[in-house]
Every structure is written in structure tokens, then in C-alpha cells.
Amino acid sequence: MKVVYKKKLENFSLDVNFEIPETGITVLFGPSGSGKSSLLNFIAGLDENNLVEEAYCKFKGKILNDSGKAIKIKPWHRNIGYVFQDHRLFPNMTVRKNIEYGYKRRKGNLDTDLVIEKFKIKSLLNQYPEQLSGGEKQRVAMVRALMSRPDLLILDEPLAALDYQSRQELLPYIECIHQELTIPLIYVSHDIKEVLRLADYIIVIDQGNVLDKGDIEELCIKQPLMTQSEGASFILKGTVTQVFDDEGLVEINTGNQKLLVTDSDLKLQQPVRVLIYAREVSLCLSPPENSSILNCVPVEIESIENEVNGKLRVEAIMDKQRIVAMISKRSVSELELKKGCKAFAQFKATAMIK
């Protein structure tokens, strides 16, 4: 998908020019008020024409907008589904009628009963929106959007108004949309945990500008906005190989190494990405004895760079994955660390974010 959009907003100008994959989940990541929702409205055809300086959008070979040629396809002809933060279900309709509305808008080839079963809303069909919990309303809103069999589904912070448990329950349903129903998503969030779980590709946006884009593993290391005040971070990928329910721990296999992470929701064989802040990592030349830190893995130092306030940024490789540590100049000097050195990286099971 190619997107070019220039428009004056209330506090800044939105000025973006980027391309994103037409498969998987693309996350628009950035703080509130950075222009994400305005950009989504443009893609969906819901934006106002006033104050637009340039507009171009092409998806799956079809031009949806081209201000230079006075092309602007109407929203209902774009075949784009939209799920808002506030669900926007019709209050005077039952769940069944809300879903049928989505289906009647455009006859799709999705199996209605299958989708209802996957999203576990069969028992809700005769209820009205006011009788549903926040998580149930969003599940119904997603099913209604899917029933029009969109070529693209946009979700604008659909979990923002929900509590933690409801958010955790909804994430697998969102994954199901592109993994099992093969519908690409554009997902808006400023929650790093949601991004970790969902993102295949990321656009980082702030004050109307695209600051960076790419894979999450690369961006967490090089893009400070990803973890904001927490500083540098990195991501490790692996698969759950053991679950220790009595201890609240899971074991993650990253290839040649096994890590322990505190968690009660992960399942066996589930692929997982964990984020670790560089400030939580320490380096040593040999594994310590009798330590409360459960993770100690061999690494090879790749680079050492200066950072502010007397800290050094050390990047190292473990199983072809990158680890970042922020340590003092004295520590680097006393350990005699340099490129190519073998060392061990330590981090707590409780320091990892899933």
C-alpha cells in the first residue's frame, strides 16, 4: 500500500509518505495526538477535503485517492472495514441484527457461522449492545466489520477502553483475523505490549511525521520513541517449551538458549516475543553462583558506543539475536570489554515484557 498525505491539522501539519505491506498486521505506533486517527480516516475515505495539500493512496493495484487527478473513491466502494475504539454498534439492534447489517452491505464469502464460532459470540446473538461487556462489544464490532469481507481491516485502538483482562482476551481474536481469515490489518496503538504481540510491520509516527518504519526487532533498538522514557530496548523471539504453573514461569527456547519468563497466560508451543530494557541487563565474564537472576546467556560483544551521563551502550549477539546493555564506563574498563569478546548477559525473569 502506498500512502501520501499532507494536511494541516489543528496543532501541526500531517505530512506522510510511505509504503506498507499488503499482508499481515501493520501497526501505526505513536503517542496520542500524533495524527494516527486522521491518517486512518484518510485511508478509509472518511477525511474532509478541506486543508488537504496532497493526497494519494493505492491499495492492491487500485487508486483510492489521487488529488492530482481529482480521484477520491467513496468510503463504501473501498471495501475497507473499520473498527473504532468505541465500537459504534447500533443500540436499537440485537447482536444478530448488527452482524447482518455488515453482511448485507456487501455479500462476502466468509462463513458467518464459522466467524461467530471463532469469536465466541453465539450466546450473545439475541442480546442488545447495552447488555454486553466492553470486550464483548468489540468482538461483535469486529465480526460485523468482517461480515462485509473487507480487503483491509482498520482497527483504531480497539482495546484502549478495556481493562487488562479484557485486552488479553481480545488479542487472540485479532491475531485470528489475518492468520486464519487472511485479511490484512492496519492497527493503531501506543501500547508496546500490544505491538509486541501483534506487529509484523511498524510505522512510528509523531507530530504528523513518520519517524521510522520497519520490523519491530530493528525499531526497538534504534527508535527511542518505541519505549520512550524507558530508554533503549531490544526484543528476543522464541517458542514456549515448558510451563511451570506452580511458579508462574514459562521457558522460552530461542534456538540454542532457554530463557525463563514470568507469565501465567502463555501456552506450550506458542511463539512469543519479549521486550527487555537495556538498563535491566548486566554483563559478566563468567556465570555467577547463587544468584536470584534466572537468565544468564553467553554472548559475543559486537559494538560499544558512548551514551549520555557516563553510560556506554553495549550491543552483543546471542543465537543471532541482538542484546543491548547500558553499563558504566568503569564496568567496561574493568571487564576489558571490546568487540569480539565473549561474555554473559544477565536479566531477570521479571524484567521481560510480553
Side-chain angles (χ1 to χ4, degrees), residues 134-164:
E136 289 170 340
K137 290 174 184 175
Q138 287 298 58
R139 295 211 310 269
V140 173
M142 289 180 201
V143 172
R144 182 178 66 178
L146 289 170
M147 282 301 94
S148 64
R149 193 50 167 107
D151 294 323
L152 171 70
L153 184 62
I154 291 174
L155 296 100
D156 188 2
E157 299 195 64
L159 311 185
L162 304 180
D163 58 38
Y164 174 79

PDB file of all heavy atoms in Angstrom, residues 134-164:
ATOM      1  N   GLY A 134     -17.507  -4.617  27.719  1.00  0.00           N
ATOM      2  CA  GLY A 134     -16.691  -3.892  26.751  1.00  0.00           C
ATOM      3  C   GLY A 134     -16.013  -4.819  25.758  1.00  0.00           C
ATOM      4  O   GLY A 134     -15.983  -4.557  24.548  1.00  0.00           O
ATOM      5  N   GLY A 135     -15.457  -5.924  26.266  1.00  0.00           N
ATOM      6  CA  GLY A 135     -14.787  -6.879  25.391  1.00  0.00           C
ATOM      7  C   GLY A 135     -15.750  -7.552  24.428  1.00  0.00           C
ATOM      8  O   GLY A 135     -15.417  -7.783  23.258  1.00  0.00           O
ATOM      9  N   GLU A 136     -16.951  -7.856  24.892  1.00  0.00           N
ATOM     10  CA  GLU A 136     -17.958  -8.482  24.026  1.00  0.00           C
ATOM     11  C   GLU A 136     -18.395  -7.529  22.912  1.00  0.00           C
ATOM     12  O   GLU A 136     -18.580  -7.939  21.759  1.00  0.00           O
ATOM     13  CB  GLU A 136     -19.160  -8.912  24.866  1.00  0.00           C
ATOM     14  CG  GLU A 136     -18.870 -10.100  25.781  1.00  0.00           C
ATOM     15  CD  GLU A 136     -19.985 -10.370  26.782  1.00  0.00           C
ATOM     16  OE1 GLU A 136     -20.800  -9.450  27.036  1.00  0.00           O
ATOM     17  OE2 GLU A 136     -20.035 -11.484  27.317  1.00  0.00           O
ATOM     18  N   LYS A 137     -18.557  -6.248  23.255  1.00  0.00           N
ATOM     19  CA  LYS A 137     -18.933  -5.260  22.241  1.00  0.00           C
ATOM     20  C   LYS A 137     -17.884  -5.187  21.137  1.00  0.00           C
ATOM     21  O   LYS A 137     -18.230  -5.122  19.946  1.00  0.00           O
ATOM     22  CB  LYS A 137     -19.104  -3.885  22.885  1.00  0.00           C
ATOM     23  CG  LYS A 137     -20.318  -3.757  23.786  1.00  0.00           C
ATOM     24  CD  LYS A 137     -20.330  -2.408  24.486  1.00  0.00           C
ATOM     25  CE  LYS A 137     -21.497  -2.312  25.460  1.00  0.00           C
ATOM     26  NZ  LYS A 137     -21.461  -1.048  26.246  1.00  0.00           N
ATOM     27  N   GLN A 138     -16.611  -5.211  21.515  1.00  0.00           N
ATOM     28  CA  GLN A 138     -15.565  -5.118  20.498  1.00  0.00           C
ATOM     29  C   GLN A 138     -15.499  -6.382  19.648  1.00  0.00           C
ATOM     30  O   GLN A 138     -15.224  -6.311  18.454  1.00  0.00           O
ATOM     31  CB  GLN A 138     -14.200  -4.839  21.148  1.00  0.00           C
ATOM     32  CG  GLN A 138     -14.037  -3.424  21.681  1.00  0.00           C
ATOM     33  CD  GLN A 138     -14.141  -2.376  20.591  1.00  0.00           C
ATOM     34  OE1 GLN A 138     -15.134  -2.275  19.882  1.00  0.00           O
ATOM     35  NE2 GLN A 138     -13.098  -1.578  20.438  1.00  0.00           N
ATOM     36  N   ARG A 139     -15.760  -7.534  20.244  1.00  0.00           N
ATOM     37  CA  ARG A 139     -15.797  -8.758  19.444  1.00  0.00           C
ATOM     38  C   ARG A 139     -16.925  -8.698  18.418  1.00  0.00           C
ATOM     39  O   ARG A 139     -16.745  -9.081  17.258  1.00  0.00           O
ATOM     40  CB  ARG A 139     -15.962  -9.987  20.340  1.00  0.00           C
ATOM     41  CG  ARG A 139     -14.796 -10.241  21.261  1.00  0.00           C
ATOM     42  CD  ARG A 139     -14.584 -11.705  21.557  1.00  0.00           C
ATOM     43  NE  ARG A 139     -15.741 -12.446  21.986  1.00  0.00           N
ATOM     44  CZ  ARG A 139     -16.135 -12.615  23.245  1.00  0.00           C
ATOM     45  NH1 ARG A 139     -15.453 -12.042  24.230  1.00  0.00           N
ATOM     46  NH2 ARG A 139     -17.185 -13.357  23.550  1.00  0.00           N
ATOM     47  N   VAL A 140     -18.078  -8.200  18.836  1.00  0.00           N
ATOM     48  CA  VAL A 140     -19.201  -8.065  17.916  1.00  0.00           C
ATOM     49  C   VAL A 140     -18.874  -7.053  16.817  1.00  0.00           C
ATOM     50  O   VAL A 140     -19.186  -7.270  15.638  1.00  0.00           O
ATOM     51  CB  VAL A 140     -20.485  -7.648  18.675  1.00  0.00           C
ATOM     52  CG1 VAL A 140     -21.616  -7.336  17.694  1.00  0.00           C
ATOM     53  CG2 VAL A 140     -20.902  -8.739  19.646  1.00  0.00           C
ATOM     54  N   ALA A 141     -18.240  -5.945  17.190  1.00  0.00           N
ATOM     55  CA  ALA A 141     -17.866  -4.928  16.200  1.00  0.00           C
ATOM     56  C   ALA A 141     -16.905  -5.510  15.159  1.00  0.00           C
ATOM     57  O   ALA A 141     -17.008  -5.204  13.962  1.00  0.00           O
ATOM     58  CB  ALA A 141     -17.228  -3.725  16.899  1.00  0.00           C
ATOM     59  N   MET A 142     -15.974  -6.347  15.608  1.00  0.00           N
ATOM     60  CA  MET A 142     -15.047  -6.983  14.666  1.00  0.00           C
ATOM     61  C   MET A 142     -15.780  -7.931  13.725  1.00  0.00           C
ATOM     62  O   MET A 142     -15.527  -7.934  12.513  1.00  0.00           O
ATOM     63  CB  MET A 142     -13.960  -7.739  15.440  1.00  0.00           C
ATOM     64  CG  MET A 142     -12.971  -6.850  16.133  1.00  0.00           C
ATOM     65  SD  MET A 142     -11.728  -7.830  17.035  1.00  0.00           S
ATOM     66  CE  MET A 142     -11.145  -6.619  18.212  1.00  0.00           C
ATOM     67  N   VAL A 143     -16.692  -8.729  14.270  1.00  0.00           N
ATOM     68  CA  VAL A 143     -17.441  -9.666  13.428  1.00  0.00           C
ATOM     69  C   VAL A 143     -18.286  -8.899  12.414  1.00  0.00           C
ATOM     70  O   VAL A 143     -18.346  -9.264  11.234  1.00  0.00           O
ATOM     71  CB  VAL A 143     -18.327 -10.592  14.290  1.00  0.00           C
ATOM     72  CG1 VAL A 143     -19.250 -11.423  13.399  1.00  0.00           C
ATOM     73  CG2 VAL A 143     -17.461 -11.512  15.136  1.00  0.00           C
ATOM     74  N   ARG A 144     -18.931  -7.817  12.852  1.00  0.00           N
ATOM     75  CA  ARG A 144     -19.736  -7.022  11.920  1.00  0.00           C
ATOM     76  C   ARG A 144     -18.874  -6.488  10.780  1.00  0.00           C
ATOM     77  O   ARG A 144     -19.265  -6.544   9.603  1.00  0.00           O
ATOM     78  CB  ARG A 144     -20.402  -5.855  12.655  1.00  0.00           C
ATOM     79  CG  ARG A 144     -21.295  -5.025  11.730  1.00  0.00           C
ATOM     80  CD  ARG A 144     -21.988  -3.899  12.463  1.00  0.00           C
ATOM     81  NE  ARG A 144     -21.058  -2.887  12.960  1.00  0.00           N
ATOM     82  CZ  ARG A 144     -21.443  -1.775  13.598  1.00  0.00           C
ATOM     83  NH1 ARG A 144     -22.734  -1.558  13.815  1.00  0.00           N
ATOM     84  NH2 ARG A 144     -20.544  -0.908  14.017  1.00  0.00           N
ATOM     85  N   ALA A 145     -17.670  -5.990  11.107  1.00  0.00           N
ATOM     86  CA  ALA A 145     -16.771  -5.479  10.069  1.00  0.00           C
ATOM     87  C   ALA A 145     -16.317  -6.594   9.135  1.00  0.00           C
ATOM     88  O   ALA A 145     -16.211  -6.404   7.926  1.00  0.00           O
ATOM     89  CB  ALA A 145     -15.566  -4.800  10.715  1.00  0.00           C
ATOM     90  N   LEU A 146     -16.078  -7.772   9.690  1.00  0.00           N
ATOM     91  CA  LEU A 146     -15.596  -8.892   8.882  1.00  0.00           C
ATOM     92  C   LEU A 146     -16.673  -9.432   7.947  1.00  0.00           C
ATOM     93  O   LEU A 146     -16.355  -9.977   6.884  1.00  0.00           O
ATOM     94  CB  LEU A 146     -15.101 -10.018   9.791  1.00  0.00           C
ATOM     95  CG  LEU A 146     -13.795  -9.747  10.547  1.00  0.00           C
ATOM     96  CD1 LEU A 146     -13.551 -10.841  11.578  1.00  0.00           C
ATOM     97  CD2 LEU A 146     -12.630  -9.652   9.580  1.00  0.00           C
ATOM     98  N   MET A 147     -17.922  -9.287   8.330  1.00  0.00           N
ATOM     99  CA  MET A 147     -19.002  -9.867   7.530  1.00  0.00           C
ATOM    100  C   MET A 147     -19.146  -9.209   6.159  1.00  0.00           C
ATOM    101  O   MET A 147     -19.775  -9.751   5.264  1.00  0.00           O
ATOM    102  CB  MET A 147     -20.326  -9.780   8.281  1.00  0.00           C
ATOM    103  CG  MET A 147     -20.488 -10.836   9.374  1.00  0.00           C
ATOM    104  SD  MET A 147     -20.379 -12.538   8.769  1.00  0.00           S
ATOM    105  CE  MET A 147     -18.654 -12.914   9.019  1.00  0.00           C
ATOM    106  N   SER A 148     -18.569  -8.028   5.985  1.00  0.00           N
ATOM    107  CA  SER A 148     -18.579  -7.391   4.666  1.00  0.00           C
ATOM    108  C   SER A 148     -17.404  -7.865   3.812  1.00  0.00           C
ATOM    109  O   SER A 148     -17.207  -7.388   2.704  1.00  0.00           O
ATOM    110  CB  SER A 148     -18.547  -5.870   4.806  1.00  0.00           C
ATOM    111  OG  SER A 148     -17.330  -5.455   5.403  1.00  0.00           O
ATOM    112  N   ARG A 149     -16.659  -8.831   4.354  1.00  0.00           N
ATOM    113  CA  ARG A 149     -15.466  -9.411   3.705  1.00  0.00           C
ATOM    114  C   ARG A 149     -14.561  -8.313   3.130  1.00  0.00           C
ATOM    115  O   ARG A 149     -14.343  -8.203   1.926  1.00  0.00           O
ATOM    116  CB  ARG A 149     -15.888 -10.394   2.597  1.00  0.00           C
ATOM    117  CG  ARG A 149     -14.725 -11.282   2.084  1.00  0.00           C
ATOM    118  CD  ARG A 149     -13.992 -11.925   3.239  1.00  0.00           C
ATOM    119  NE  ARG A 149     -13.092 -12.987   2.839  1.00  0.00           N
ATOM    120  CZ  ARG A 149     -11.757 -12.902   2.826  1.00  0.00           C
ATOM    121  NH1 ARG A 149     -11.174 -11.782   3.161  1.00  0.00           N
ATOM    122  NH2 ARG A 149     -11.011 -13.940   2.512  1.00  0.00           N
ATOM    123  N   PRO A 150     -14.013  -7.472   4.018  1.00  0.00           N
ATOM    124  CA  PRO A 150     -13.177  -6.369   3.543  1.00  0.00           C
ATOM    125  C   PRO A 150     -11.839  -6.864   2.996  1.00  0.00           C
ATOM    126  O   PRO A 150     -11.340  -7.920   3.390  1.00  0.00           O
ATOM    127  CB  PRO A 150     -12.965  -5.524   4.804  1.00  0.00           C
ATOM    128  CG  PRO A 150     -13.063  -6.521   5.929  1.00  0.00           C
ATOM    129  CD  PRO A 150     -14.105  -7.498   5.492  1.00  0.00           C
ATOM    130  N   ASP A 151     -11.276  -6.078   2.092  1.00  0.00           N
ATOM    131  CA  ASP A 151      -9.925  -6.358   1.607  1.00  0.00           C
ATOM    132  C   ASP A 151      -8.886  -5.921   2.640  1.00  0.00           C
ATOM    133  O   ASP A 151      -7.749  -6.388   2.632  1.00  0.00           O
ATOM    134  CB  ASP A 151      -9.664  -5.618   0.290  1.00  0.00           C
ATOM    135  CG  ASP A 151     -10.536  -6.126  -0.838  1.00  0.00           C
ATOM    136  OD1 ASP A 151     -10.783  -7.349  -0.881  1.00  0.00           O
ATOM    137  OD2 ASP A 151     -10.978  -5.309  -1.662  1.00  0.00           O
ATOM    138  N   LEU A 152      -9.281  -5.004   3.511  1.00  0.00           N
ATOM    139  CA  LEU A 152      -8.399  -4.459   4.544  1.00  0.00           C
ATOM    140  C   LEU A 152      -9.258  -4.131   5.754  1.00  0.00           C
ATOM    141  O   LEU A 152     -10.364  -3.612   5.610  1.00  0.00           O
ATOM    142  CB  LEU A 152      -7.702  -3.194   4.028  1.00  0.00           C
ATOM    143  CG  LEU A 152      -6.900  -2.359   5.037  1.00  0.00           C
ATOM    144  CD1 LEU A 152      -5.635  -3.111   5.465  1.00  0.00           C
ATOM    145  CD2 LEU A 152      -6.520  -1.005   4.432  1.00  0.00           C
ATOM    146  N   LEU A 153      -8.749  -4.418   6.953  1.00  0.00           N
ATOM    147  CA  LEU A 153      -9.464  -4.075   8.181  1.00  0.00           C
ATOM    148  C   LEU A 153      -8.624  -3.095   8.990  1.00  0.00           C
ATOM    149  O   LEU A 153      -7.450  -3.349   9.267  1.00  0.00           O
ATOM    150  CB  LEU A 153      -9.753  -5.319   9.012  1.00  0.00           C
ATOM    151  CG  LEU A 153     -10.589  -5.108  10.286  1.00  0.00           C
ATOM    152  CD1 LEU A 153     -11.973  -4.578   9.936  1.00  0.00           C
ATOM    153  CD2 LEU A 153     -10.708  -6.409  11.080  1.00  0.00           C
ATOM    154  N   ILE A 154      -9.226  -1.968   9.360  1.00  0.00           N
ATOM    155  CA  ILE A 154      -8.577  -0.947  10.184  1.00  0.00           C
ATOM    156  C   ILE A 154      -9.124  -1.035  11.601  1.00  0.00           C
ATOM    157  O   ILE A 154     -10.338  -1.076  11.806  1.00  0.00           O
ATOM    158  CB  ILE A 154      -8.834   0.464   9.615  1.00  0.00           C
ATOM    159  CG1 ILE A 154      -8.078   0.647   8.288  1.00  0.00           C
ATOM    160  CG2 ILE A 154      -8.428   1.539  10.613  1.00  0.00           C
ATOM    161  CD1 ILE A 154      -8.403   1.959   7.592  1.00  0.00           C
ATOM    162  N   LEU A 155      -8.230  -1.075  12.573  1.00  0.00           N
ATOM    163  CA  LEU A 155      -8.637  -1.087  13.984  1.00  0.00           C
ATOM    164  C   LEU A 155      -7.953   0.078  14.694  1.00  0.00           C
ATOM    165  O   LEU A 155      -6.726   0.110  14.822  1.00  0.00           O
ATOM    166  CB  LEU A 155      -8.254  -2.409  14.652  1.00  0.00           C
ATOM    167  CG  LEU A 155      -8.950  -3.658  14.104  1.00  0.00           C
ATOM    168  CD1 LEU A 155      -8.013  -4.385  13.136  1.00  0.00           C
ATOM    169  CD2 LEU A 155      -9.335  -4.611  15.215  1.00  0.00           C
ATOM    170  N   ASP A 156      -8.757   1.038  15.131  1.00  0.00           N
ATOM    171  CA  ASP A 156      -8.232   2.254  15.758  1.00  0.00           C
ATOM    172  C   ASP A 156      -8.281   2.123  17.276  1.00  0.00           C
ATOM    173  O   ASP A 156      -9.302   2.407  17.903  1.00  0.00           O
ATOM    174  CB  ASP A 156      -9.052   3.462  15.293  1.00  0.00           C
ATOM    175  CG  ASP A 156      -8.429   4.785  15.750  1.00  0.00           C
ATOM    176  OD1 ASP A 156      -7.358   4.751  16.378  1.00  0.00           O
ATOM    177  OD2 ASP A 156      -9.028   5.836  15.468  1.00  0.00           O
ATOM    178  N   GLU A 157      -7.168   1.669  17.854  1.00  0.00           N
ATOM    179  CA  GLU A 157      -7.050   1.459  19.303  1.00  0.00           C
ATOM    180  C   GLU A 157      -8.276   0.738  19.870  1.00  0.00           C
ATOM    181  O   GLU A 157      -8.930   1.235  20.804  1.00  0.00           O
ATOM    182  CB  GLU A 157      -6.819   2.789  20.020  1.00  0.00           C
ATOM    183  CG  GLU A 157      -5.536   3.485  19.575  1.00  0.00           C
ATOM    184  CD  GLU A 157      -5.109   4.587  20.513  1.00  0.00           C
ATOM    185  OE1 GLU A 157      -4.786   4.266  21.671  1.00  0.00           O
ATOM    186  OE2 GLU A 157      -5.096   5.750  20.095  1.00  0.00           O
ATOM    187  N   PRO A 158      -8.615  -0.440  19.355  1.00  0.00           N
ATOM    188  CA  PRO A 158      -9.844  -1.122  19.783  1.00  0.00           C
ATOM    189  C   PRO A 158      -9.819  -1.613  21.222  1.00  0.00           C
ATOM    190  O   PRO A 158     -10.860  -1.949  21.772  1.00  0.00           O
ATOM    191  CB  PRO A 158      -9.928  -2.307  18.812  1.00  0.00           C
ATOM    192  CG  PRO A 158      -8.506  -2.591  18.450  1.00  0.00           C
ATOM    193  CD  PRO A 158      -7.852  -1.237  18.380  1.00  0.00           C
ATOM    194  N   LEU A 159      -8.623  -1.662  21.839  1.00  0.00           N
ATOM    195  CA  LEU A 159      -8.529  -2.173  23.206  1.00  0.00           C
ATOM    196  C   LEU A 159      -8.333  -1.068  24.240  1.00  0.00           C
ATOM    197  O   LEU A 159      -8.255  -1.347  25.436  1.00  0.00           O
ATOM    198  CB  LEU A 159      -7.371  -3.179  23.315  1.00  0.00           C
ATOM    199  CG  LEU A 159      -7.305  -4.285  22.255  1.00  0.00           C
ATOM    200  CD1 LEU A 159      -6.188  -5.263  22.580  1.00  0.00           C
ATOM    201  CD2 LEU A 159      -8.632  -5.011  22.145  1.00  0.00           C
ATOM    202  N   ALA A 160      -8.236   0.164  23.792  1.00  0.00           N
ATOM    203  CA  ALA A 160      -7.843   1.257  24.689  1.00  0.00           C
ATOM    204  C   ALA A 160      -8.801   1.460  25.852  1.00  0.00           C
ATOM    205  O   ALA A 160      -8.382   1.822  26.957  1.00  0.00           O
ATOM    206  CB  ALA A 160      -7.713   2.556  23.896  1.00  0.00           C
ATOM    207  N   ALA A 161     -10.087   1.232  25.641  1.00  0.00           N
ATOM    208  CA  ALA A 161     -11.070   1.497  26.692  1.00  0.00           C
ATOM    209  C   ALA A 161     -11.330   0.276  27.576  1.00  0.00           C
ATOM    210  O   ALA A 161     -12.187   0.334  28.464  1.00  0.00           O
ATOM    211  CB  ALA A 161     -12.382   1.961  26.062  1.00  0.00           C
ATOM    212  N   LEU A 162     -10.591  -0.816  27.365  1.00  0.00           N
ATOM    213  CA  LEU A 162     -10.851  -2.055  28.092  1.00  0.00           C
ATOM    214  C   LEU A 162      -9.857  -2.259  29.225  1.00  0.00           C
ATOM    215  O   LEU A 162      -8.742  -1.722  29.204  1.00  0.00           O
ATOM    216  CB  LEU A 162     -10.760  -3.243  27.124  1.00  0.00           C
ATOM    217  CG  LEU A 162     -11.663  -3.182  25.883  1.00  0.00           C
ATOM    218  CD1 LEU A 162     -11.452  -4.418  25.035  1.00  0.00           C
ATOM    219  CD2 LEU A 162     -13.129  -3.048  26.287  1.00  0.00           C
ATOM    220  N   ASP A 163     -10.250  -3.055  30.213  1.00  0.00           N
ATOM    221  CA  ASP A 163      -9.332  -3.378  31.295  1.00  0.00           C
ATOM    222  C   ASP A 163      -8.328  -4.433  30.818  1.00  0.00           C
ATOM    223  O   ASP A 163      -8.445  -4.988  29.727  1.00  0.00           O
ATOM    224  CB  ASP A 163     -10.077  -3.875  32.531  1.00  0.00           C
ATOM    225  CG  ASP A 163     -10.946  -5.104  32.256  1.00  0.00           C
ATOM    226  OD1 ASP A 163     -10.533  -5.986  31.472  1.00  0.00           O
ATOM    227  OD2 ASP A 163     -12.037  -5.198  32.833  1.00  0.00           O
ATOM    228  N   TYR A 164      -7.326  -4.699  31.661  1.00  0.00           N
ATOM    229  CA  TYR A 164      -6.223  -5.576  31.253  1.00  0.00           C
ATOM    230  C   TYR A 164      -6.712  -6.955  30.846  1.00  0.00           C
ATOM    231  O   TYR A 164      -6.317  -7.498  29.805  1.00  0.00           O
ATOM    232  CB  TYR A 164      -5.213  -5.715  32.397  1.00  0.00           C
ATOM    233  CG  TYR A 164      -4.120  -6.727  32.119  1.00  0.00           C
ATOM    234  CD1 TYR A 164      -3.043  -6.405  31.301  1.00  0.00           C
ATOM    235  CD2 TYR A 164      -4.183  -8.017  32.665  1.00  0.00           C
ATOM    236  CE1 TYR A 164      -2.048  -7.329  31.032  1.00  0.00           C
ATOM    237  CE2 TYR A 164      -3.204  -8.953  32.390  1.00  0.00           C
ATOM    238  CZ  TYR A 164      -2.130  -8.601  31.577  1.00  0.00           C
ATOM    239  OH  TYR A 164      -1.162  -9.527  31.308  1.00  0.00           O
TER     240      TYR A 164
END
